[in-house]
Amino acid sequence: MRILGIDPGYAIVGFGVVDYSGVNFFPLEYGAVLTEAHTPFTHRLKSIADDLDYIMEKFSPDCMAIERLYFTNNQKTAIDVAQARGVTVLSAVRHNIPVFEYTPLQVKQAVVGYGKAEKKQVMDMTRRILKLEQIPKPDDAADALAIAICHGHCCKGIR
């Protein structure tokens, strides 16, 4: 099964593509979709959609796993991230890719085995699970890979 993991955002959208078979994960690609700060927000959304369309067409994932949003402070940021997340989900739907959502707690539990693990622990376990020499950069890409791993551990054949 090929999984596209997404760490949603509007300045940086982390992505990670992994193949999952049995208990093994094989990283294919990871990185980030970046948008310029002084670009009109609507153009940033279009840029995210265009780049994700390219990634989805190139890798043909069987499913997309994305982090469920959780904000407590800045409502403006939450609304903007939610809009970017909506564009991301729409891109998947347009490519007939099923979407699965996971909370940060679920991702930590699936990757580290402890729901209150620190970010550094999650990143290091992601590196180990994927047999990478270094922790993926930027952090958003590492987060996206962790979300993909979470789906692999949680899905048990669900596509």
Side-chain angles (χ1 to χ4, degrees):
M1 170 174 42
R2 182 161 294 169
I3 306 166
L4 170 61
I6 296 288
D7 181 32
Y10 59 91
I12 303 173
V13 178
F15 74 90
V17 182
V18 299
D19 279 344
Y20 174 65
S21 177
V23 295
N24 297 308
F25 290 92
F26 307 94
L28 300 177
E29 186 74 49
Y30 57 86
V33 172
L34 307 173
T35 64
E36 296 291 325
H38 300 291
T39 304
F41 190 73
T42 53
H43 291 116
R44 292 174 90 169
L45 293 176
K46 182 184 181 312
S47 178
I48 291 166
D50 290 346
D51 287 355
L52 289 176
D53 282 344
Y54 171 79
I55 291 165
M56 291 175 194
E57 289 167 12
K58 181 177 180 180
F59 293 101
S60 300
D62 296 307
C63 56
M64 183 177 86
I66 188 167
E67 186 174 75
R68 183 170 290 160
L69 292 184
Y70 173 77
F71 285 94
T72 57
N73 295 343
N74 190 335
Q75 289 183 354
K76 165 92 169 88
T77 300
I79 290 169
D80 288 348
V81 173
Q83 289 183 76
R85 188 180 179 283
V87 165
T88 301
V89 170
L90 179 60
S91 290
V93 170
R94 285 189 171 165
H95 287 86
N96 296 312
I97 299 169
V99 177
F100 299 87
E101 300 177 300
Y102 298 96
T103 66
L105 181 78
Q106 288 173 302
V107 174
K108 291 174 182 180
Q109 182 70 40
V111 175
V112 179
Y114 177 60
K116 293 187 180 180
E118 294 189 24
K119 187 174 184 77
K120 210 171 193 177
Q121 292 172 293
V122 176
M123 294 173 107
D124 188 55
M125 280 303 296
T126 298
R127 178 192 66 79
R128 290 173 187 224
I129 290 168
L130 296 175
K131 298 175 181 70
L132 299 171
E133 289 185 22
Q134 308 250 339
I135 292 173
K137 294 290 180 197
D139 290 356
D140 309 83
D143 292 344
L145 288 167
I147 293 162
I149 291 167
C150 175
H151 182 67
H153 283 162
C154 295
C155 74
K156 304 299 180 215
I158 298 172
R159 290 182 183 227

